[in-house]
Short mmCIF file of all heavy atoms in Angstrom, two decimals:
data_model
loop_
_atom_site.label_atom_id
_atom_site.label_comp_id
_atom_site.label_asym_id
_atom_site.label_seq_id
_atom_site.Cartn_x
_atom_site.Cartn_y
_atom_site.Cartn_z
N LYS U 74 -1.39 28.52 3.12
CA LYS U 74 -2.53 29.41 3.32
C LYS U 74 -3.46 28.78 4.34
O LYS U 74 -3.67 27.57 4.33
CB LYS U 74 -3.31 29.61 2.01
CG LYS U 74 -2.50 30.17 0.86
CD LYS U 74 -2.18 31.62 1.05
CE LYS U 74 -1.42 32.18 -0.15
NZ LYS U 74 -1.05 33.56 0.01
N SER U 75 -4.04 29.60 5.20
CA SER U 75 -5.02 29.08 6.16
C SER U 75 -5.94 30.20 6.61
O SER U 75 -5.62 31.38 6.46
CB SER U 75 -4.32 28.47 7.38
OG SER U 75 -3.73 29.48 8.17
N GLY U 76 -7.08 29.79 7.13
CA GLY U 76 -8.03 30.76 7.66
C GLY U 76 -9.40 30.58 7.05
O GLY U 76 -9.58 29.82 6.09
N PRO U 77 -10.38 31.27 7.61
CA PRO U 77 -11.76 31.13 7.14
C PRO U 77 -11.94 31.51 5.67
O PRO U 77 -12.84 31.01 5.00
CB PRO U 77 -12.57 32.06 8.04
CG PRO U 77 -11.60 32.82 8.87
CD PRO U 77 -10.26 32.18 8.73
N GLU U 78 -11.07 32.37 5.15
CA GLU U 78 -11.18 32.76 3.74
C GLU U 78 -10.86 31.59 2.80
O GLU U 78 -11.08 31.67 1.60
CB GLU U 78 -10.29 33.96 3.43
CG GLU U 78 -8.81 33.73 3.61
CD GLU U 78 -8.28 33.97 5.03
OE1 GLU U 78 -9.07 33.92 6.00
OE2 GLU U 78 -7.08 34.19 5.17
N TRP U 79 -10.35 30.48 3.33
CA TRP U 79 -10.02 29.29 2.53
C TRP U 79 -11.04 28.18 2.70
O TRP U 79 -10.76 27.02 2.38
CB TRP U 79 -8.60 28.82 2.87
CG TRP U 79 -7.60 29.82 2.38
CD1 TRP U 79 -7.06 30.86 3.09
CD2 TRP U 79 -7.09 29.91 1.07
NE1 TRP U 79 -6.23 31.58 2.28
CE2 TRP U 79 -6.23 31.02 1.03
CE3 TRP U 79 -7.26 29.16 -0.10
CZ2 TRP U 79 -5.55 31.40 -0.13
CZ3 TRP U 79 -6.58 29.53 -1.24
CH2 TRP U 79 -5.74 30.64 -1.25
N GLU U 80 -12.22 28.50 3.19
CA GLU U 80 -13.28 27.48 3.35
C GLU U 80 -13.79 26.96 2.01
O GLU U 80 -14.28 25.84 1.93
CB GLU U 80 -14.43 28.05 4.17
CG GLU U 80 -14.08 28.14 5.64
CD GLU U 80 -15.22 28.67 6.49
OE1 GLU U 80 -16.37 28.79 5.98
OE2 GLU U 80 -14.97 28.96 7.68
N ASP U 81 -13.67 27.72 0.95
CA ASP U 81 -14.12 27.32 -0.39
C ASP U 81 -13.16 26.28 -0.96
O ASP U 81 -12.01 26.58 -1.27
CB ASP U 81 -14.19 28.55 -1.30
CG ASP U 81 -14.68 28.22 -2.70
OD1 ASP U 81 -14.80 27.04 -3.07
OD2 ASP U 81 -14.95 29.19 -3.44
N LYS U 82 -13.64 25.04 -1.08
CA LYS U 82 -12.80 23.94 -1.55
C LYS U 82 -12.25 24.22 -2.94
O LYS U 82 -11.09 23.90 -3.23
CB LYS U 82 -13.58 22.62 -1.54
CG LYS U 82 -12.73 21.42 -1.95
CD LYS U 82 -13.49 20.13 -1.85
CE LYS U 82 -12.64 18.97 -2.31
NZ LYS U 82 -11.92 18.31 -1.25
N ASN U 83 -13.05 24.83 -3.82
CA ASN U 83 -12.57 25.12 -5.17
C ASN U 83 -11.39 26.09 -5.15
O ASN U 83 -10.45 25.95 -5.94
CB ASN U 83 -13.70 25.68 -6.05
CG ASN U 83 -14.73 24.62 -6.35
OD1 ASN U 83 -14.41 23.44 -6.50
ND2 ASN U 83 -15.98 25.03 -6.44
N LEU U 84 -11.42 27.06 -4.26
CA LEU U 84 -10.31 28.00 -4.11
C LEU U 84 -9.06 27.26 -3.64
O LEU U 84 -7.96 27.49 -4.16
CB LEU U 84 -10.70 29.10 -3.11
CG LEU U 84 -9.68 30.21 -2.88
CD1 LEU U 84 -9.46 31.01 -4.16
CD2 LEU U 84 -10.17 31.13 -1.76
N ARG U 85 -9.23 26.36 -2.67
CA ARG U 85 -8.09 25.57 -2.18
C ARG U 85 -7.52 24.68 -3.27
O ARG U 85 -6.31 24.60 -3.45
CB ARG U 85 -8.50 24.72 -0.97
CG ARG U 85 -8.89 25.51 0.25
CD ARG U 85 -9.02 24.66 1.50
NE ARG U 85 -9.74 23.43 1.35
CZ ARG U 85 -11.02 23.24 1.69
NH1 ARG U 85 -11.73 24.24 2.20
NH2 ARG U 85 -11.59 22.06 1.55
N LEU U 86 -8.40 24.01 -4.03
CA LEU U 86 -7.94 23.12 -5.10
C LEU U 86 -7.20 23.89 -6.18
O LEU U 86 -6.19 23.42 -6.71
CB LEU U 86 -9.13 22.37 -5.72
CG LEU U 86 -9.71 21.26 -4.86
CD1 LEU U 86 -11.04 20.79 -5.44
CD2 LEU U 86 -8.74 20.10 -4.73
N GLU U 87 -7.67 25.08 -6.50
CA GLU U 87 -7.02 25.91 -7.51
C GLU U 87 -5.60 26.30 -7.06
O GLU U 87 -4.65 26.19 -7.82
CB GLU U 87 -7.86 27.16 -7.77
CG GLU U 87 -7.33 28.03 -8.89
CD GLU U 87 -8.22 29.24 -9.12
OE1 GLU U 87 -9.46 29.11 -9.03
OE2 GLU U 87 -7.66 30.32 -9.40
N TYR U 88 -5.48 26.71 -5.81
CA TYR U 88 -4.17 27.10 -5.29
C TYR U 88 -3.24 25.89 -5.19
O TYR U 88 -2.05 25.97 -5.54
CB TYR U 88 -4.31 27.79 -3.93
CG TYR U 88 -3.04 28.42 -3.45
CD1 TYR U 88 -2.57 29.60 -4.02
CD2 TYR U 88 -2.27 27.83 -2.46
CE1 TYR U 88 -1.39 30.19 -3.60
CE2 TYR U 88 -1.09 28.40 -2.03
CZ TYR U 88 -0.65 29.57 -2.60
OH TYR U 88 0.53 30.15 -2.19
N GLU U 89 -3.77 24.76 -4.74
CA GLU U 89 -2.98 23.53 -4.68
C GLU U 89 -2.46 23.16 -6.07
O GLU U 89 -1.28 22.83 -6.23
CB GLU U 89 -3.84 22.39 -4.12
CG GLU U 89 -3.16 21.04 -4.12
CD GLU U 89 -4.13 19.89 -3.92
OE1 GLU U 89 -5.29 19.98 -4.39
OE2 GLU U 89 -3.73 18.91 -3.29
N SER U 90 -3.31 23.23 -7.08
CA SER U 90 -2.91 22.91 -8.45
C SER U 90 -1.81 23.84 -8.94
O SER U 90 -0.87 23.40 -9.62
CB SER U 90 -4.10 23.01 -9.40
OG SER U 90 -5.01 21.99 -9.13
N GLN U 91 -1.91 25.12 -8.60
CA GLN U 91 -0.86 26.08 -8.97
C GLN U 91 0.48 25.67 -8.35
O GLN U 91 1.52 25.71 -9.03
CB GLN U 91 -1.22 27.49 -8.52
CG GLN U 91 -2.30 28.15 -9.31
CD GLN U 91 -2.68 29.51 -8.71
OE1 GLN U 91 -2.05 30.00 -7.79
NE2 GLN U 91 -3.74 30.10 -9.26
N LEU U 92 0.45 25.31 -7.08
CA LEU U 92 1.68 24.90 -6.40
C LEU U 92 2.29 23.66 -7.07
O LEU U 92 3.51 23.60 -7.30
CB LEU U 92 1.42 24.63 -4.92
CG LEU U 92 1.13 25.83 -4.05
CD1 LEU U 92 0.66 25.40 -2.67
CD2 LEU U 92 2.36 26.73 -3.95
N ILE U 93 1.45 22.69 -7.37
CA ILE U 93 1.94 21.45 -8.01
C ILE U 93 2.52 21.77 -9.39
O ILE U 93 3.61 21.33 -9.73
CB ILE U 93 0.82 20.40 -8.09
CG1 ILE U 93 0.43 19.93 -6.69
CG2 ILE U 93 1.25 19.22 -8.96
CD1 ILE U 93 -0.85 19.12 -6.63
N ASN U 94 1.77 22.56 -10.17
CA ASN U 94 2.24 22.89 -11.53
C ASN U 94 3.52 23.71 -11.51
O ASN U 94 4.39 23.51 -12.36
CB ASN U 94 1.15 23.64 -12.30
CG ASN U 94 0.00 22.73 -12.67
OD1 ASN U 94 0.16 21.52 -12.80
ND2 ASN U 94 -1.18 23.30 -12.81
N ASN U 95 3.65 24.61 -10.56
CA ASN U 95 4.84 25.46 -10.48
C ASN U 95 6.05 24.71 -9.93
O ASN U 95 7.17 25.22 -10.03
CB ASN U 95 4.57 26.69 -9.61
CG ASN U 95 3.59 27.64 -10.25
OD1 ASN U 95 3.35 27.59 -11.45
ND2 ASN U 95 3.00 28.50 -9.45
N ASN U 96 5.84 23.56 -9.34
CA ASN U 96 6.93 22.79 -8.72
C ASN U 96 6.95 21.35 -9.20
O ASN U 96 7.31 20.45 -8.45
CB ASN U 96 6.77 22.84 -7.20
CG ASN U 96 6.86 24.24 -6.66
OD1 ASN U 96 7.92 24.82 -6.60
ND2 ASN U 96 5.71 24.81 -6.29
N GLN U 97 6.59 21.12 -10.45
CA GLN U 97 6.46 19.75 -10.98
C GLN U 97 7.70 18.89 -10.77
O GLN U 97 7.59 17.72 -10.46
CB GLN U 97 6.12 19.80 -12.47
CG GLN U 97 4.71 20.24 -12.75
CD GLN U 97 4.42 20.24 -14.23
OE1 GLN U 97 5.03 19.49 -14.99
NE2 GLN U 97 3.50 21.08 -14.65
N HIS U 98 8.87 19.48 -10.94
CA HIS U 98 10.10 18.69 -10.85
C HIS U 98 10.51 18.41 -9.41
O HIS U 98 11.41 17.62 -9.16
CB HIS U 98 11.23 19.38 -11.61
CG HIS U 98 10.92 19.58 -13.06
ND1 HIS U 98 10.81 18.52 -13.94
CD2 HIS U 98 10.65 20.69 -13.78
CE1 HIS U 98 10.50 18.97 -15.14
NE2 HIS U 98 10.41 20.29 -15.07
N TRP U 99 9.85 19.06 -8.47
CA TRP U 99 10.18 18.88 -7.05
C TRP U 99 8.95 18.47 -6.26
O TRP U 99 8.83 18.78 -5.10
CB TRP U 99 10.78 20.18 -6.49
CG TRP U 99 12.03 20.54 -7.19
CD1 TRP U 99 12.19 21.48 -8.15
CD2 TRP U 99 13.30 19.92 -7.02
NE1 TRP U 99 13.48 21.50 -8.59
CE2 TRP U 99 14.20 20.54 -7.91
CE3 TRP U 99 13.78 18.89 -6.21
CZ2 TRP U 99 15.53 20.18 -8.01
CZ3 TRP U 99 15.11 18.54 -6.31
CH2 TRP U 99 15.97 19.17 -7.20
N SER U 100 8.02 17.81 -6.94
CA SER U 100 6.75 17.46 -6.29
C SER U 100 6.52 15.96 -6.29
O SER U 100 6.66 15.30 -7.31
CB SER U 100 5.60 18.15 -7.02
OG SER U 100 4.37 17.67 -6.56
#
Side-chain angles (χ1 to χ4, degrees):
K74 302 287 183 182
S75 70
E78 63 273 22
W79 291 93
E80 286 181 10
D81 181 350
K82 183 176 178 93
N83 291 326
L84 183 64
R85 294 192 314 261
L86 286 168
E87 185 178 322
Y88 190 75
E89 175 195 34
S90 292
Q91 286 175 7
L92 290 170
I93 294 168
N94 289 334
N95 292 342
N96 298 286
Q97 287 181 27
H98 300 293
W99 299 102
S100 170

